Amino acid sequence: MAANGALGPVGVAAQETLRVAGVVTDDETGAPVEGATIRLADPSGSVRETVTGPQGAFAFEAVPLGAYVLGVRRIGYEVLSTALEVGLDGRSLDVRLRPQAIPLDPLNVDVEGRPPRLVETGFYDRKEEGWGTYIEPEWIEANKAGYVRLSDFMSTLQGRGPMPRCPDVPVYLDRKPIGTTSGWGTSRARSINPAGTYRSAAGPPPTLLEELSTFEVGAAELYSAGTKIPWFAWNGKSMECGAIILWSNWTAAMAEVPKIDVALCEPTGRPGEVALEGFVEDEVTTVRLPAAHVISSYPTSEGLERVETVVRTDSLGRYRLCDLPAGAEVDLAAAYGPHAGDRLAVPAAAGADVRLSVPVTPPGSVTGLAINEVTSQPLEAVRITVDDTDFRAVTNRTGAFSLEGLPPGSYRIRALCGGFYSSAQTVEVAEGAQLRVVLALRSKGSARRSRCSA
């Protein structure tokens, strides 16, 4: 990481604070890196966090002078952690991330001594962050002996970490909710229906947690209330009572990992021939895809027939096509496992760098409604924006809007309407998720407004 140039304005000395800002770029291409998570931690453990915008920029306001650790994380790049001294001489930080190919399904990540499928869940990344208590497969295997039902094993798990005194702690298995368990220091009531509203003589049906055996579990994560809980388990209940996240025995088992060992071709340098190369990446996350297939088709120099070739990307997601007729139109397409990208026609030219994309990660969508806060009536022609992105929408006559093709991540959705105060809401979009939000706007004038003014 390099730091250069003056940064202003600098906080006054009496306040002993400073604005810390910078730009995150790709170390290879120099392109700005959007969506990188920036964390600034002081020696006491207090952490401030932000996310880079479309130009890779970030900033922390009013940072007290002193020693910090700056951490930068972005999928597809190596994690950066470095010491940072915030002094009176302001600096603009030039942060450069090294690309790191991350295999996606159906490939596995080869991490020595760690189950590759568990690595892919983010278990070990979250363990390094340290927000919860993480129980690895070895401990689970050694301590679940003697238990038959998974529900009976919960109290043993909870003894490993601080859990709130809450009667219903949500439990997840491989990202899916399977029931609730009693929090630490509480016990399940004799009747789980004290109000007597359930009329079945057989009683409420058991949850999946009560039906599964301890054989199913291979690793666990414990989160207390108020901690940073993974998006798939983050809701009102987990914010109040924390969450227990289990990973199946299959996920936590060691698996045979295919090695990616692809050597790119070397051009012969014959006159009239050129090489064409580039990257293959996930269309939504822009993660580079190793061992992807690149299918090409181009006419011979005589133009009498077409040549079709298939090459694979190396461990960094790069491909190369050698000895192409200069100027020939080359049809390119990439595939990754069962996923195939659109075809692209490009001229064969020396020095060309063509990026191909494959829709591997399913994008999410957000639909919603903009309403008058007082009357709850829909508002037409409200401008809907997503902070730090190009996603835009406008509500129709019924106040509805839709934002499609959102990559997984955290977003701030904002509603803007003339004559009303703006409204905003933060959402967490998961892979393939379809979220719905309601944005209520308060009128600046007549409380019963039903339209946006010019």
Side-chain angles (χ1 to χ4, degrees), residues 11 24 29 54 128 135 158 163 174 176 179 184 191 194 238 251 266 276 289 291 302 323 338 348 418 423:
V24 179
T29 67
E128 290 177 7
I135 306 175
Q158 292 178 66
M163 298 297 292
D174 289 350
K176 298 186 182 300
W184 187 249
S191 171
S238 60
T251 300
E266 293 295 335
L276 188 67
L289 303 176
E302 295 81 11
D323 307 327
S423 176

Side-chain angles (χ1 to χ4, degrees), residues 33-348:
V33 177
E34 179 182 2
T37 299
I38 314 295
R39 301 187 68 204
L40 191 64
D42 64 22
S44 71
S46 177
V47 176
R48 300 174 66 176
E49 187 172 292
T50 188
V51 177
T52 58
Q55 303 304 315
F58 67 91
F60 295 100
E61 304 293 343
V63 178
L65 307 186
Y68 293 84
V69 174
L70 182 73
V72 184
R73 181 187 295 273
R74 174 68 163 88
I75 189 170
Y77 293 89
E78 295 180 1
V79 176
L80 174 67
S81 180
T82 185
L84 178 66
E85 185 73 28
V86 177
L88 290 176
D89 55 332
R91 292 181 179 273
S92 177
L93 303 177
D94 176 16
V95 182
R96 301 165 189 170
L97 296 184
R98 294 180 180 178
Q100 180 182 55
I102 301 179
L104 302 178
D105 184 49
L107 298 177
N108 295 311
V109 181
D110 185 5
V111 180
E112 184 177 357
R114 292 179 173 180
R117 288 186 291 262
L118 190 59
V119 171
E120 291 171 358
T121 68
F123 177 93
Y124 293 100
D125 289 337
R126 290 188 292 273
K127 182 180 179 182
E128 290 177 7
E129 294 283 344
W131 289 97
T133 301
Y134 301 86
I135 306 175
E136 298 196 51
E138 294 79 8
W139 189 93
I140 295 287
E141 191 62 31
N143 288 272
K144 68 182 182 182
Y147 291 93
V148 177
R149 297 173 59 185
L150 182 55
S151 58
D152 295 334
F153 187 52
M154 288 295 100
S155 60
T156 300
L157 281 179
Q158 292 178 66
R160 294 281 294 170
M163 298 297 292
R165 185 178 175 84
C166 194
D168 295 302
V169 178
V171 182
Y172 294 78
L173 177 65
D174 289 350
R175 296 190 177 91
K176 298 186 182 300
I178 61 172
T180 63
T181 188
S182 302
W184 187 249
T186 65
S187 59
R188 186 178 296 276
R190 290 179 178 273
S191 171
I192 59 176
N193 182 41
T197 54
Y198 194 91
R199 301 300 181 186
S200 171
T207 64
L208 188 58
L209 173 62
E210 295 165 320
E211 295 179 346
L212 294 175
S213 72
T214 54
F215 174 79
E216 303 290 341
V217 65
E221 304 176 34
L222 308 180
Y223 294 91
S224 57
T227 58
K228 188 175 181 181
I229 298 172
W231 58 262
F232 59 84
W234 186 85
N235 52 46
K237 174 58 73 173
S238 60
M239 290 175 63
E240 177 186 355
C241 296
I244 298 177
I245 298 172
L246 306 177
W247 298 105
S248 66
N249 188 51
W250 178 87
T251 300
M254 294 298 291
E256 184 178 348
V257 181
K259 293 185 178 180
I260 302 170
D261 186 16
V262 176
L264 302 184
C265 65
E266 293 295 335
T268 59
R270 290 191 294 261
E273 293 182 342
V274 296
L276 188 67
E277 60 183 284
F279 290 103
V280 176
E281 60 188 18
D282 179 14
E283 186 176 276
V284 174
T285 64
T286 69
V287 171
R288 295 176 184 177
L289 303 176
H293 291 85
V294 176
I295 303 95
S296 67
S297 174
Y298 58 91
T300 62
S301 55
E302 295 81 11
L304 300 178
E305 58 182 9
R306 297 188 68 83
V307 177
E308 294 189 0
T309 62
V310 178
V311 299
R312 299 186 75 187
T313 56
D314 63 12
S315 59
L316 293 177
R318 176 172 284 279
Y319 71 91
R320 182 180 298 140
L321 299 168
C322 297
D323 307 327
L324 303 176
E329 185 176 86
V330 183
D331 288 334
L332 294 174
Y336 188 78
H339 311 284
D342 295 332
R343 298 194 70 84
L344 180 67
V346 297

